[in-house]
Amino acid sequence: MKALVLIGGFGTRLRPITYLVPKQLIPLAGKPMLYHVLDLLPPEVEEVVLATGYKAELVEAYVRAHPPRWPVRTVPEAQPLGTGGGMKNAGGGMSDPFFLLNSDVIAAADLGAMARRHRSSGGVGTMALASVEDTRPYGVAALDADDRITAFVEKPEPRDAPSHWINAGLAVWAAAVLDRIPTGRPVSFEREVVPGLLAARVYGHRLERYWDDAGTPDRLLNAQRLLFDDGRGGDGRLPPGAHGTGPVATLEGATAHDAHLGPYVTLGPNARVEPGARVRNSVLMDGVVVGRDARVEGSILGPGFRVPDGARVENAVLAGGDPETPS
Ligand code: GTP
């Protein structure tokens, strides 16, 4: 089987960092979000096709420098085509069936089992579903006793939501669904195409453990906690000379002598936390500097951001250098 991964969105909810890098390259528990999604794929997948768009060149350069275990091909869009348009643009030569993955979801999911179930169901699609309290930002499924999806409503008002089971952004589809997507214009697969596929039978695959959509700051940090708690954050140990509880993921060249770290911190490549500083529940991207005695909590700091000595940063998404001298 092949996998088609949607990675062309603007990531507006993670601005200003996504003005600089696509959200899928933000490291969570030591690894870019995209790579945690790819980790869910079974080893026998023969090719991963990345449907890129916004900042496609950065995705391509990263993937070239850090090749995943599968052969990867990137297919950029000249202009944003939406989820369905991206599938159509990049979906030439897809396997039947194929995996369709959003690149911003963190989950415990056995995609091999989902594919086997799909094949035995005889339907055109199988969508992983997650149970959430607040269904408003998602596509919501109504299910019958066999977990066949009987209705699918994108972003309904709470009173119109047919259940708490939402599209988890991980699915298996028959190649024929690509023929149902109009060409040459933006298309929302979830709004315009999925409802029309239900008659040909689409099944839900309920995720029993954890799932989160890492597309907002709070949820991204929650996703990082889930990954660490599930042991997907490497050894989680503190860098040499640092104090604290961990878990911490320390990428190449990052240092934190006499700093207090954790829990739940990623120190990106060459990040530096200076003596007396404290960092918890945060992501520091490449080259971030946290000055002496500064505090960083619940925050995502973009490449090269500098926190001045003694400053306090809480619940913030920041990018672009020193806040006193923005670059
Ligand atoms: P926000 O702007 O913050 O809503 O983020 P987003 O642009 O990523 O949108 P959303 O989270 O709804 O996207 C879900 C998935 O579809 C993500 O993996 C996106 O990268 C992807 N996606 C969204 N729009 C497009 C598009 O126009 N083309 C492609 N190829 N992928 C897209």
Side-chain angles (χ1 to χ4, degrees):
M1 273 175 81
K2 297 188 181 186
L4 181 54
V5 182
L6 294 167
I7 183 169
F10 288 98
T12 54
R13 295 166 296 164
L14 285 167
R15 286 176 177 166
I17 288 180
T18 45
Y19 286 127
L20 304 176
V21 280
K23 65 179 166 186
Q24 291 83 358
L25 297 185
I26 298 175
L28 303 183
K31 214 190 260 194
M33 194 186 292
L34 168 67
Y35 284 61
H36 285 295
V37 176
L38 297 181
D39 280 347
L40 299 175
L41 288 169
E44 61 272 17
V45 162
E46 44 182 289
E47 185 183 44
V48 172
V49 178
L50 301 177
T52 55
Y54 181 63
K55 297 206 180 287
E57 64 294 347
L58 296 186
V59 175
E60 193 157 348
Y62 193 94
V63 168
R64 210 178 310 121
H66 305 86
R69 62 198 292 190
W70 305 271
V72 174
R73 190 159 53 89
T74 54
V75 183
E77 289 154 35
Q79 65 208 34
L81 291 173
T83 50
M87 288 167 67
K88 187 80 175 180
N89 186 57
M94 263 303 117
S95 57
D96 183 23
F98 66 94
F99 290 108
L100 176 69
L101 312 182
N102 283 2
S103 48
D104 56 357
V105 295
I106 294 303
D110 183 344
L111 296 189
M114 187 163 82
R116 287 191 293 280
R117 186 170 167 183
H118 170 80
R119 288 178 194 278
S120 62
S121 75
V124 288
T126 302
M127 301 172 77
L129 303 175
S131 175
V132 301
E133 292 274 311
D134 182 4
T135 56
R136 279 174 300 179
Y138 305 111
V140 188
L143 298 150
D144 73 8
D146 296 325
D147 279 349
R148 179 172 170 188
I149 298 177
T150 53
F152 186 80
V153 199
E154 189 64 17
K155 300 187 175 63
E157 286 300 313
R159 65 174 179 280
D160 300 327
S163 77
H164 278 284
W165 290 97
I166 59 119
N167 175 10
L170 308 166
V172 179
W173 291 103
V177 305
L178 294 167
D179 301 335
R180 306 283 286 267
I181 303 172
T183 311
R185 67 166 174 89
V187 179
S188 163
F189 182 64
E190 299 76 14
R191 277 182 201 280
E192 293 185 51
V193 183
V194 172
L197 296 171
L198 299 184
R201 283 192 288 144
V202 177
Y203 288 88
H205 181 83
R206 300 178 201 237
L207 298 181
E208 303 294 346
R209 288 179 61 210
Y210 61 83
W211 175 87
D212 212 341
D213 151 19
T216 69
D218 284 357
R219 303 190 73 124
L220 182 146
L221 293 174
N222 185 55
Q224 171 161 269
R225 292 192 293 274
L226 293 168
L227 289 166
F228 273 125
D229 288 346
D230 195 24
R232 291 169 66 187
D235 65 15
R237 287 216 303 268
L238 298 167
H243 320 289
T245 52
V248 173
T250 308
L251 295 176
E252 208 180 334
T255 57
H257 289 291
D258 283 330
H260 192 284
L261 299 181
Y264 304 118
V265 171
T266 293
L267 294 182
N270 303 313
R272 191 171 82 239
V273 185
E274 296 195 334
R278 277 175 173 259
V279 181
R280 58 184 301 189
N281 189 32
S282 293
V283 173
L284 277 48
M285 294 183 69
D286 5 341
V288 165
V289 178
V290 177
R292 283 178 176 265
D293 302 317
R295 300 276 180 276
V296 176
E297 177 153 3
S299 296
I300 308 160
L301 305 183
F305 190 84
R306 299 177 72 89
V307 178
D309 291 352
R312 214 180 169 99
V313 176
E314 279 176 18
N315 305 326
V317 181
L318 299 168
D322 189 321
E324 288 164 354
T325 51
S327 54

